[in-house]
């Protein structure tokens, strides 16, 4: 028996196994358990693109990392304290993420000849002393799981599948998690298959008991709840945040939501989530392709609904022409790009920030449109609403950038009071806005609001407002087809001025600079957490460094230029080859220091700390 | 129609103030006239009517209708119109397309709009050529066609739009031609009356790049022997004296026979509502191009659940069982929440 419990501030656990081993499931369970327990947390699912790569091989390894803490944290953590490895491939693929001194909990049963060979081990690493620098626990999880579930009469082959719950049991015990919620969850999840519920329950309990009764673990640990703001919390992923934000935008604007979408990793969950909420009058169409998805959304916008399409990089390529049409028609449209590793099919399940320039410039002709980016899973909710607000107010397509890391990563979110969210007035045209030469009432679809330069939005249904729009250049005011050279230049400039004018209404940027620093870090998107983490460390070491984070990528906020010029050095960390950096140099004629990573993985806090420290303290 | 206060209109009310810019003599003029003349009869309001097109000569059509309209991008009109029709089931949505637009670049959207059975009226102006880009072969051009892009003849087997639509699970399929306004109007009226996706192919002469493509079947002197007018519930007969009939070929298809040489009971009776599209398909294969006797009229008109109705039904059921959605409860109900005090 172990009775000592050691208190920890935080711990990072990484569950790794074959894609068929259910690692995402137990990772998610452990996360929810810790969230409900009151820890702050952040997660990083890391799974292969293949649904079932050959079992036991390196490409088939799926991992889930969760960082739990008794204080406010911003990332899933750089290096796991504990790695759970269900087979040799999982150990091999993940050892690079684990520093010496960490705890390894391995399923010893899986370390037999065939699996070792598949993972490319010549000798068994559990036996050859190569893991001497780690605290290694070799546990015959398969055997113990089969043994524990014997009373159910389950065949060993079926019983063996529950070993992930055995592993969850061990880790739950190790970190003093309450067991009841997991048992309840198993009951609910497998309510249709009571025999599976029983097997998984027995496996989980066996894992817990194993931790408690064997003496191989010196002690259990405890991570106390974090001091979070009082309120109701939920664990949210970025994809859910976007889906709910869109529903919120629909409510706030009074416009029914229409999603036209084609399944694509890692964006599909937005489609899944929205298709559930029909009692919000959400209409979802799984289109025949990416082009039809955005086309249907634009058709719905023409009809006066809130048209949305969701995709990832390759889908953006395909949608470009229709986005250009939406821009020319000057109709509201929300285009969500959950970025992944590119180019081409690239790394579908991994994360990157490499679509920024495409979002800004990836259409033929002079075609500027607003681009905004989310920074955390919960921020996705607000960014979706902001996108709708801009799209509706300015009658323009808006691109929202999320990424794979935000999409699947989770964080606790203190739920807002939705009654306090600002309404969005669609300001539909209800009557003619001009006169024909003969004095009869006329509707001019391109007669703009002098302040916003937005054109009237008159969906079908109002007599007297019949009009035609199209991709051909439109004459100012009347909207008739026009080949007039001067009109074309005017229209190009006025469309650009309309979008540029959005910057006028943006709130001043918040610069986090308590120490009058000389070095500024400019970030955007999902790197926010790693950047904040690294800045905290630099400051803890006595360094002065300022931070500004961008949500509006185009147009950029009016005050950004002045802010940039206040600092001697401007660091721009990005998970690409320097796309925002290019924009800042071009826009403000400043020098920037790029910190780039293109491994389709988030920045580690340590990596950024080092890069920032170099500028702050000197080499 | 539930709306009893539809104002009386004339063709003029449906005609926009824009100058029509097709080549003089183009078949598109007569199709436009047929549509504009039909509209006052349909019992719909101008403001609830939308024409959506893609790219091509035909695609200029919406500009000439005094309704709502969108001249969109190449091939995508069925997708855009599907979104509009699903968003706004109260509207009458028409798609105007050509053979390049609908069958080449937009082929995918066309077949899926048809199988989904979204409430659209899709008119395909088939002139068997690319007009707007000045005369390349199209997916309906006959094999061997010599054009600017095929100086030695096209190597492609053309699509048969009727067969394609029937194979794509279309619930309303009809063919007409630009020389017969009355027939066009009747087909368009039927398309409008059909609840679901309606597909009408219109043989349309491009007098600049493919003049006379349909002359073998449409010139006044041959029409009675070359057009097989399909009428529901009637034997399929044609010819000036009804001397030709359509019978089974004994091999799953149909063939033309002389009436006097077959039993009356052998003559096929046209059934638009036959749930099995096999006979309609066989009729669509009777002529491989507009060079031999060609059926026109409604090939198929069957009742099938419309996509938008089913979508609305799912929403209504969710509303009935859960009540209208509330944001705060959405956020608080979907997953496990916890309180921090
Ligand atoms: S090119 Fe042919 S189809 Fe196009 S407008 Fe001229 S005649 Fe009509």
């Amino acid at each position: 028996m172990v009775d000592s419990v050691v208190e920890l501030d935080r711990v990072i656990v990484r569950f790794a196994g074959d894609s068929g081993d259910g690692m995402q499931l137990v990772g998610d369970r452990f996360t929810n358990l810790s969230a409900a327990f009151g820890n702050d947390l952040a997660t990083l699912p890391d799974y292969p693109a293949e649904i079932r790569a050959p079992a036991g091989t390196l490409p088939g390894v799926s991992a889930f990392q969760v960082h739990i803490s008794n204080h406010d944290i911003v990332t899933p953590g750089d290096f796991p304290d504990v790695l759970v490895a269900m087979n040799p491939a999982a150990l091999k693929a993940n050892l690079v993420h684990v520093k010496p001194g960490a705890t390894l909990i391995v399923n010893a049963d899986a370390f037999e000849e065939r699996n070792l060979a598949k993972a490319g081990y010549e000798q068994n690493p559990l036996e050859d002393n190569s893991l001497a620098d780690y605290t290694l626990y070799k546990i015959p999880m398969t055997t113990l799981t089969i043994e524990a579930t014997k009373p159910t009469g389950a065949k060993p082959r079926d019983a063996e599948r529950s070993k992930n719950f055995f592993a969850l049991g061990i880790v739950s015990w190790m970190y003093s998690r309450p067991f009841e919620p997991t048992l309840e969850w198993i009951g609910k999840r497998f309510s249709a298959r009571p025999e599976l519920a029983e097997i998984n329950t027995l496996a989980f309990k066996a894992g817990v008991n194993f931790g408690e009764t064997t003496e191989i673990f010196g002690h259990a640990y405890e991570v106390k709840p974090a001091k979070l703001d009082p309120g109701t919390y939920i664990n949210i992923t970025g994809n859910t945040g976007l889906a709910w934000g869109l529903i919120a935008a629909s409510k706030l604007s009074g416009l029914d939501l229409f999603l036209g979408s084609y399944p694509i990793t890692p964006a599909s969950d937005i489609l899944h989530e929205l298709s559930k909420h029909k009692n919000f009058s959400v209409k979802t169409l799984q289109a025949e392709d990416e082009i039809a998805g955005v086309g249907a959304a634009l058709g719905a916008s023409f009809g006066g609904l809130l048209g949305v399409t969701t995709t990832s990089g390759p889908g953006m390529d395909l949608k470009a022409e229709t986005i250009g049409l939406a821009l020319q028609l000057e109709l509201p449209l929300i285009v969500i790009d959950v970025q992944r590793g590119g180019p081409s099919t690239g790394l579908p399940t991994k994360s990157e920030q490499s679509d920024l320039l495409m979002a800004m410039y990836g259409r033929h002709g002079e075609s500027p449109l607003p681009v905004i980016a989310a920074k955390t899973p919960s921020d996705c909710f607000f960014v979706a609403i902001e996108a709708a607000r801009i799209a509706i107010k300015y009658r323009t397509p808006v691109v929202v950038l999320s990424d794979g890391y935000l999409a699947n990563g989770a964080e606790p979110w203190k739920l807002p009071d939705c009654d306090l969210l600002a309404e969005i007035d669609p300001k539909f045209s209800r009557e003619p806005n001009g006169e024909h030469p003969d004095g009869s009432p006329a509707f001019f679809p391109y007669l703009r609001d002098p302040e916003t330069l937005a054109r009237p939005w008159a969906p079908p249904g109002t007599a007297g407002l019949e009009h035609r729009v199209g991709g051909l250049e439109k004459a100012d005011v009347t909207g008739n087809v026009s080949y007039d050279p001067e009109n074309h230049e005017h229209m190009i400039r006025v469309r650009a001025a309309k979008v540029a004018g959005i910057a006028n209404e943006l709130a001043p940027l918040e610069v986090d600079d308590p120490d009058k620093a000389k070095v500024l870090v400019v970030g955007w998107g999902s790197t926010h957490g790693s950047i904040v983490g690294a800045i905290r460390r630099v400051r803890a070491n006595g360094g002065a460094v300022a931070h500004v984070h961008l949500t509006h990528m185009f147009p950029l906020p009016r005050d950004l230029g002045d802010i940039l010029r206040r600092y001697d050095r401007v660091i721009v960390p990005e998970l690409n080859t320097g796309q925002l950096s290019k924009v800042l140099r071009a826009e403000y004629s400043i020098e920037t220091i790029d910190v780039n990573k293109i491994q389709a993985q988030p920045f580690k806090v340590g990596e950024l700390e080092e890069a920032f420290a170099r500028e702050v303290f000197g080499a | 129609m539930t709306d009893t206060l539809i104002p009386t209109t004339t063709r003029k009310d449906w005609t926009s103030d824009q100058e029509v810019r097709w080549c003089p003599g183009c078949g598109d003029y007569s199709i436009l006239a047929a549509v504009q003349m039909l509209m006052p009869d349909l019992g719909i309001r101008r403001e609830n009517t939308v024409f959506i097109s893609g790219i091509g000569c035909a695609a200029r059509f919406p500009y000439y209708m005094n309704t709502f309209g969108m001249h969109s991008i190449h091939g995508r009109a069925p997708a855009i119109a599907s979104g509009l029709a699903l968003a706004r089931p109260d509207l009458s949505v028409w798609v105007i397309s050509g053979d390049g637009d609908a069958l080449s670049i937009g082929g995918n959207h066309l077949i899926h709009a048809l199988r989904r059975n979204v409430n659209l009226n899709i008119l395909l102006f088939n002139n068997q050529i690319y007009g707007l880009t000045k005369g390349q072969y199209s997916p309906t051009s006959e094999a061997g066609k010599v054009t600017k892009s095929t100086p030695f003849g096209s190597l492609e087997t053309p699509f048969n739009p009727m067969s394609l639509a029937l194979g794509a699970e279309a619930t309303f399929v009809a063919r007409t031609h630009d020389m017969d306004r009355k027939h066009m109007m009747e087909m368009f009226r039927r398309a409008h009356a059909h609840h679901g996706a309606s597909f009408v192919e219109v043989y349309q002469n491009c007098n600049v790049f493919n003049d006379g493509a349909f002359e073998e079947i449409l010139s006044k002197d041959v029409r009675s022997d070359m057009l097989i007018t399909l009428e529901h519930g009637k034997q399929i007969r044609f010819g000036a004296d009804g001397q030709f009939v359509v019978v089974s070929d004994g091999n799953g298809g149909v063939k033309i026979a002389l009436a006097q040489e077959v039993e009356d009971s052998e003559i096929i009776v046209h059934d638009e509502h036959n749930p099995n599209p096999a006979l309609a398909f066989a009729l669509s294969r009777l002529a491989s191009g507009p060079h031999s006797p060609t059926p026109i009229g409604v090939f198929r008109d069957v009742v099938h659940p419309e996509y938008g109705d089913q979508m609305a039904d799912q929403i209504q059921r969710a509303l009935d069982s859960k009540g209208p959605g509330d944001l705060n409860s959405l956020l608080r109900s979907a997953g496990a929440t916890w309180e921090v005090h």
Side-chain angles (χ1 to χ4, degrees), chain A residues 512-519 534-546 609 612-618:
Chain A
D512 171 33
D513 184 7
D515 311 310
K516 301 268 168 299
K518 293 194 180 329
V519 176
I535 284 176
R536 284 180 189 172
R537 288 195 197 169
V538 172
R539 285 182 188 160
N541 290 332
V545 56
E609 180 192 2
F612 298 171
R614 219 168 17 232
E615 301 308 323
V616 172
F617 301 114

Side-chain angles (χ1 to χ4, degrees), chain A residues 106-150:
Chain A
V106 299
N107 176 15
D109 288 331
F111 284 69
E112 37 82 33
E113 224 169 287
R114 265 192 52 196
N115 280 336
L116 289 167
K118 274 195 225 166
Y121 277 119
E122 282 174 12
Q123 321 175 35
N124 188 344
L126 305 187
E127 312 297 344
D128 67 1
N129 221 24
S130 61
L131 302 174
D133 290 344
Y134 300 90
T135 308
L136 174 66
Y137 296 107
K138 301 182 270 189
I139 302 172
M141 295 191 207
T142 312
T143 317
L144 292 171
T145 303
I146 292 173
E147 199 57 42
T149 57
K150 255 202 183 132

Side-chain angles (χ1 to χ4, degrees), chain A residues 355-440:
Chain A
D355 294 353
L356 176 63
L357 293 180
M358 170 173 70
M360 292 170 72
Y361 304 117
R363 290 159 298 281
H364 68 277
E366 296 284 348
S367 48
L369 53 72
V371 179
I372 59 179
K375 62 179 176 184
T376 61
S378 60
D379 188 44
C380 286
F381 178 82
F382 299 103
V383 161
I385 298 173
E386 173 71 353
R389 194 186 62 75
I390 293 175
I392 291 169
K393 181 166 178 185
Y394 294 91
R395 318 314 198 194
T396 177
V398 175
V399 176
V400 174
L401 294 175
S402 173
D403 62 31
Y405 171 67
L406 295 178
N408 297 313
E411 65 170 351
W413 179 36
K414 184 183 152 190
L415 295 175
D417 180 352
C418 296
D419 298 337
L420 303 179
L421 299 171
E423 291 194 353
I424 304 169
D425 183 357
K427 290 195 180 151
F428 286 135
S429 297
R430 303 279 183 208
E431 51 199 27
N433 58 0
E435 278 181 8
H436 289 298
D438 67 0
S440 61

Side-chain angles (χ1 to χ4, degrees), chain B residues 22-23 26-28 57 127 131-132 204-209:
Chain B
W22 289 308
C23 306
C26 175
D28 288 353
C57 291
N127 55 21
L132 192 69
Q204 173 245 324
N205 192 40
C206 168
N207 57 310
V208 173
F209 295 107

Side-chain angles (χ1 to χ4, degrees), chain A residues 35 228 230-233 251 277-279 283 288-289 296 303 416 418 458 460-461 467-471 474 480 483, chain B residues 18 47 60 62-63 65 67-71 83 86 88 108-109 116 307 314 323 325 328 330 332 337-340:
Chain A
L228 300 171
T232 306
Y233 281 75
K251 277 266 173 186
H277 299 295
K278 303 219 183 296
N279 64 324
K283 293 182 172 175
E288 59 271 25
D289 58 29
C418 296
H467 66 283
R468 276 67 55 193
V469 292
K474 294 285 163 280
N480 291 330
Y483 298 101
Chain B
Q18 298 298 295
E47 64 270 23
R60 294 297 182 96
Y63 290 126
M65 295 297 300
T67 62
F68 282 85
M70 186 196 297
H71 178 207
L86 295 176
R88 294 286 306 274
N108 198 33
H109 307 305
R116 280 195 192 104
Y307 193 103
Q314 286 189 345
N328 281 317
L330 168 73
R332 281 155 184 83
T337 56
W338 69 93
E339 297 296 326
V340 173

Side-chain angles (χ1 to χ4, degrees), chain A residues 35-201:
Chain A
F37 184 69
N39 296 129
D40 196 13
L41 59 87
T43 68
L44 173 67
D46 185 1
Y47 54 91
E50 293 78 14
I51 301 300
R52 289 274 187 278
T57 61
L58 293 171
V61 172
S62 169
F64 189 102
Q65 183 164 318
V66 50
H67 184 179
I68 59 173
S69 148
N70 67 2
H71 58 277
D72 156 40
I73 50 167
V74 284
T75 75
D78 289 0
F79 300 102
D81 302 301
V82 178
L83 170 68
V84 178
M86 301 305 282
N87 66 10
L91 179 68
K92 189 163 197 187
N94 285 284
L95 214 49
V96 292
H97 300 291
V98 188
K99 278 195 171 160
T103 299
L104 307 178
I105 301 176
V106 299
N107 176 15
D109 288 331
F111 284 69
E112 37 82 33
E113 224 169 287
R114 265 192 52 196
N115 280 336
L116 289 167
K118 274 195 225 166
Y121 277 119
E122 282 174 12
Q123 321 175 35
N124 188 344
L126 305 187
E127 312 297 344
D128 67 1
N129 221 24
S130 61
L131 302 174
D133 290 344
Y134 300 90
T135 308
L136 174 66
Y137 296 107
K138 301 182 270 189
I139 302 172
M141 295 191 207
T142 312
T143 317
L144 292 171
T145 303
I146 292 173
E147 199 57 42
T149 57
K150 255 202 183 132
T152 65
K155 290 201 197 86
R157 228 189 42 216
D158 296 335
E160 189 244 1
R161 292 221 187 98
S162 299
K163 60 184 183 296
N164 57 334
F165 280 97
F166 185 93
L168 179 63
I170 296 179
V171 179
S172 295
W173 171 81
M174 265 183 102
Y175 293 102
S176 313
R177 308 283 94 178
F179 312 132
E180 268 315 308
T182 300
L183 295 173
E184 263 170 44
W185 181 88
I186 292 176
K188 251 195 236 157
R189 162 94 182 214
F190 299 101
S191 59
R193 311 258 328 252
E195 71 284 4
L196 286 186
E198 204 189 340
I199 297 174
N200 288 330
T201 301

Side-chain angles (χ1 to χ4, degrees), chain A residues 207-241:
Chain A
V208 171
N209 292 338
F210 182 85
E212 204 164 277
T213 51
T214 63
E215 302 203 336
I216 68 166
F217 298 105
H219 30 239
Y221 301 90
E222 183 177 28
V223 180
K224 287 254 165 72
K227 277 191 198 63
L228 300 171
D229 273 354
T232 306
Y233 281 75
I234 193 168
N235 219 5
I236 190 155
T237 64
N239 275 347
T240 308

